[in-house]
Structure formats: structure tokens, C-alpha cells
Amino acid sequence: MTAAPDASPVLRLRDVAKTYGAGEAAVAALTGASLDVHGGEMVAVMGTSGSGKSTLLAIAGGLLAPTSGEVEVAGRPLATLSTRRLAAVRREVIGFVFQDFNLLPSLTALENVALPLDLGGASTATARSEARRALATLGMRERARSFPDELSGGQRQRVAIARAIVGERRLLLADEPTGALDSVTGEHVLEALRERADEGAAVVLVTHDARHAAWADRIVYLGDGRIVDETRAARPESLLSGGVQ
Amino acid sequence: MSVKHSLLVLLGDGDRYGYELRAEFEQRTGGVWPLNVGQVYSTLERLERDGLVLRAAAGDERQVRYALTEAGRAEVGAWWATPVPVANVGRDDVALKIALAVTSPGVDAGAVIHEQRRAVMTSLQELNRTKRASTDAAWDLVADALIFRAEAEIRWLDHTEQRLSLTRSKAGLPAAAPRRSVAASEAEAAR
């Protein structure tokens, strides 16, 4: 499942720092975070409120520029890209999944999912067929023509994930993607993210919930604006040989 | 876990041999609690002594079938009607250890918490992976129970760490101890 160690990471963060404000009012959200995420790997980022989790994700997705440090996505250093090129990387390589779905209410599920491809200049036919495929992988083929308000919370989140993976997106960034969903529906959302990682995407999941983080191959903890602890998945054969009681 | 009541429940569905009881117990509870057959027979003997089961007519001299008595049936009914006792407050090993760490000068309680969280998190990942690969509904149910408990323990550890760091910053101490192994901080304390 995890990529070979010599493969270059899809996401590479080096000593990333971010300070909001200046002078007396300056707040350091990140003080030097480094993280590599390879294709086929799912990494959970945990930490208390205000530990910089969402800032880290926004920087990884090129939505926010770091104050210092390096960010590379699929081998491209984001700092060197023009605004236009950066927008293209965000659209073509990176998929975002947020807590509040962010679906456009006036578009059907299919149109919502096709939107990033439409914006990227794909033909309508290509965008639609890719969108249909993405919806199908999430078990939402039947609901392609539904509008967001005709879908349940879990279904809306599946559409949001379909939109995040449509095309050849190699990096998926999810910020508390289960939001207010009940625990069984939330599990389906995590299952969908896990499947994307198993198919080769690099997935970063920001969560405060250990049960969700357990879907990841690696769990990193943020504290004081940097990564302070890490748990890697152990070998499955040690299960129940003195594990949880 | 009550082996006694589990066996009585199984016998409620019909007479069984000891080996059958063991196999059925493991199948119906996801195989999480391995039960040895000696334990099954010693429990059956006690149940027989207490009048809750009796030896049914043996078809084969070498195998003894057990059957539930009326008293046994009543015992099962009472068991379903009674909640499993909630653990006594304050008898949690991890809480105990961390309480001692917090009040021991020279021990880095934060490091003790990290080590514990790491261990629980690892087992949570393993449980999750096994559950994903499983097709056994009984095991899924038991795995969920273990998963939610492990999650609760991690939430409590996070909560404790945060409280500890708030207390320290109020007292003018460094907000969070740098992450290091328990062994390292003990070695430092010994110096």
C-alpha cells in the first residue's frame, strides 16, 4: 500500500512556517513543519484546536502561501509558480474535501463534480463522462441528476469527494470531512478516502477524531506549530496479542 | 467476561457437548476471547453443582451433553435483564499511572501520556484494518466496541495533556515539555 521509499513524494513540506499578523499581534500558526506524503499513502494530521492543522492543509493545497519553508506538490515547488500555474495545479492535481461540502446548490451532483474539469477547459462530454465515473466509484451513479438539497448529508459528502477526485488528482486534502455526519455515514466517507489512497492517491486527513485517524497509514501530531509525534501502522499480526483490552 | 452466563445462553438454544459450546461461543463472539475446553468443562461442573445445568442422557459414553435446568433458564433471564456492572471509578490502570506521573517530581507526565497514546493509536489502526478486511459480522460488532473504547481513551489522554499544559503555563512553567522518551527523562531525573 505504501509507496517504495525511493519514490518521490506527492506532497513535500519542508520547515514550513506561517505567521499571521505582524509585530506585537503576530501569531505563529506553524513554526517549522516538515512532512512527506507518498502516493498510496494516507496520513492523518491531529492536534488540539489552534495547533495549525487547517493552516497546514491550506498551505499544502496552495490556498495559502507559507511565511517561510518549501512546499512541493507532484514535484512542483509551489512558490515558483505563477498565479495561473498555481491555479492549474490546484485544479488538476489537488482535490479538496471540506466539512461543509461546498456544493453549488443550483447544479446537479453530476454538474458539481464536472465543474473543476469544465473550469480547466475540458470538453463538456469529457467532463461529464469523467464526473460520471467519479460518482460511480463512490456508489453515487444513481444520484447524478439530483440537486444537493435532494441528497442526504452522507450523499452530499460523497459528491464532494467525487468532485475532489475527478480527473487524475494525485493529492487529496480533507479537513474534518465527516463533519456532522453520524458515525456510520462518517465511516463510509473515510472508506471512500481510504480506497482513493489504496488506488494510488496521496491523502492527507485533518481530524481531531482518533477513530478517523486510525484509517491512515501514519498519524502525525501537531503541537506548537510543528510535528511533535508520529504513529505508524504496526503489522497486523500483532493484533489482540496484548493490544486493546 | 462471564463465561458462565455465555454458556447458559448457548444451552438455552439446545443441549450441547463441551466442544460444541466452545466452538459456538467463539463463532458467535467473533473469536476475540479464546476459550479453552478445560475452562468450559470446569465451568459446566460448577453450573451443575449450582443446579443451573444437568447432564442430559448421554448417547455416547465418552461425550456428555449438558442441558439447561429451569433455574438455569431463570438465571439467563435475570442476566439479560441486568446491565453489566460499570467498572468502579478510579480503578483504571492508565489513569492510575498518569496520576502518579503528574505528582512525581522529575517524571515527564507528558512523555508518559505520549507513549500511552502511541500504543493505543497503533492498536486502533490495527483494529480498523482488521475490521476492514473482515466479513464476520460478530467480529465487526466486537471490533467496533474495542475501537470506540480505544478512541475514548485517546480523547481522555489528549484532554489530560491539554489540561496539564494549561496548568503548567499558568504556573509559569514551559507550556509543553519537549517530546522525548520516558527513559530519557527518567535518566535525566536520575542525574
Side-chain angles (χ1 to χ4, degrees):
Chain A
M1 244 177 327
T2 310
D6 57 327
S8 58
V10 176
L11 172 67
R12 187 167 179 274
L13 301 176
R14 275 291 164 282
D15 295 322
V16 167
K18 178 70 185 175
T19 306
Y20 293 105
E24 288 283 297
V27 178
L30 293 175
T31 56
S34 296
L35 177 70
D36 283 354
V37 186
H38 290 85
E41 191 183 31
M42 181 167 172
V43 173
V45 180
M46 296 189 79
T48 53
S49 312
S51 61
K53 301 189 295 284
S54 296
T55 299
L56 184 90
L57 207 71
I59 288 175
L63 296 170
L64 197 63
T67 310
S68 66
E70 293 165 32
V71 185
E72 274 182 31
V73 173
R76 301 176 185 85
L78 298 190
T80 65
L81 302 179
S82 67
T83 313
R84 237 184 93 211
R85 287 291 308 137
L86 181 60
V89 168
R90 273 206 303 265
R91 207 169 48 228
E92 289 158 16
V93 184
I94 307 171
F96 296 94
V97 186
F98 297 107
Q99 185 172 10
D100 50 4
F101 320 138
N102 281 324
L103 297 178
L104 296 176
S106 59
L107 301 183
T108 64
L110 186 72
E111 289 161 349
N112 263 290
V113 176
L115 190 61
L117 300 178
D118 286 334
L119 293 175
S123 73
T124 307
T126 309
R128 299 245 161 164
S129 86
E130 289 281 320
R132 220 168 265 123
R133 205 162 61 87
L135 280 170
T137 62
L138 288 146
M140 290 292 294
R141 190 204 301 268
E142 316 299 310
R143 307 310 304 264
R145 289 166 185 221
S146 304
F147 287 91
D149 65 359
E150 296 166 342
L151 299 170
S152 71
Q155 290 171 332
R156 283 204 289 274
Q157 192 57 308
R158 293 193 147 236
V159 174
I161 294 176
R163 187 187 50 189
I165 62 165
V166 73
E168 294 294 320
R169 253 67 84 71
R170 296 174 58 198
L171 177 60
L172 269 185
L173 303 173
D175 195 352
E176 300 283 5
T178 62
L181 300 175
D182 66 72
S183 59
V184 173
T185 312
E187 213 164 69
H188 292 148
V189 169
L190 290 159
E191 206 167 10
L193 291 173
R194 180 70 249 180
E195 280 168 14
R196 302 287 86 72
D198 292 345
E199 286 164 14
V203 179
V204 182
L205 165 72
V206 162
T207 180
H208 65 273
D209 190 326
R211 207 157 35 80
H212 297 165
W215 288 77
D217 302 296
R218 271 195 297 147
I219 297 150
V220 297
Y221 290 87
L222 278 182
D224 299 334
R226 64 202 161 83
I227 288 162
V228 289
D229 207 354
E230 178 168 336
T231 309
R232 271 170 198 279
R235 284 163 298 284
E237 59 265 31
S238 61
L239 180 74
L240 296 172
S241 57
V244 179
Q245 299 178 15
Chain B
M1 188 222 6
S2 176
V3 176
K4 168 184 157 180
H5 288 106
S6 303
L7 297 186
L8 290 175
V9 167
L10 299 181
L11 288 170
D13 298 339
D15 302 353
R16 298 274 193 281
Y17 299 118
Y19 276 102
E20 285 177 323
L21 284 169
R22 183 181 73 159
E24 197 180 340
F25 173 81
E26 292 190 358
Q27 183 241 319
R28 284 177 61 177
T29 56
V32 178
W33 295 277
L35 202 57
N36 72 53
V37 81
Q39 200 179 357
V40 172
Y41 280 112
S42 64
T43 307
L44 285 168
E45 274 167 29
R46 259 176 286 131
L47 291 171
E48 188 183 16
R49 181 200 65 199
D50 297 341
L52 301 175
V53 304
L54 49 80
R55 287 165 194 251
D60 178 339
E61 282 299 302
R62 293 161 60 197
Q63 294 255 45
V64 182
R65 282 177 91 85
Y66 286 86
L68 207 56
T69 63
E70 268 317 302
R73 213 166 284 282
E75 179 76 23
V76 171
W79 189 62
W80 290 130
T82 315
V84 174
V86 177
N88 290 334
V89 176
R91 292 301 303 273
D92 181 293
D93 280 352
V94 181
L96 207 84
K97 183 173 176 183
I98 290 168
L100 285 172
V102 169
T103 51
S104 297
V107 171
D108 181 351
V112 175
I113 290 173
H114 294 156
E115 292 299 328
Q116 188 66 34
R117 184 171 59 196
R118 200 184 285 236
V120 183
M121 197 69 233
T122 303
S123 87
L124 190 53
Q125 283 176 293
E126 290 170 15
L127 281 166
N128 199 64
R129 195 171 323 104
T130 321
K131 192 182 126 189
R132 256 156 56 208
S134 140
T135 51
D136 175 354
W139 156 249
D140 288 354
L141 185 140
V142 174
D144 272 338
L146 300 174
I147 284 170
F148 276 90
R149 276 185 206 142
E151 180 203 12
E153 182 163 8
I154 289 174
R155 279 172 60 187
W156 171 73
L157 287 166
D158 287 346
H159 177 82
T160 305
E161 183 186 29
Q162 211 176 343
R163 275 183 52 162
L164 215 65
S165 107
L166 284 174
T167 316
R168 289 176 72 90
S169 62
K170 271 189 202 144
L173 295 162
R179 212 126 312 203
R180 57 192 167 174
S181 73
V182 178
S185 58
E186 276 175 353
E188 193 174 282
R191 248 179 263 140

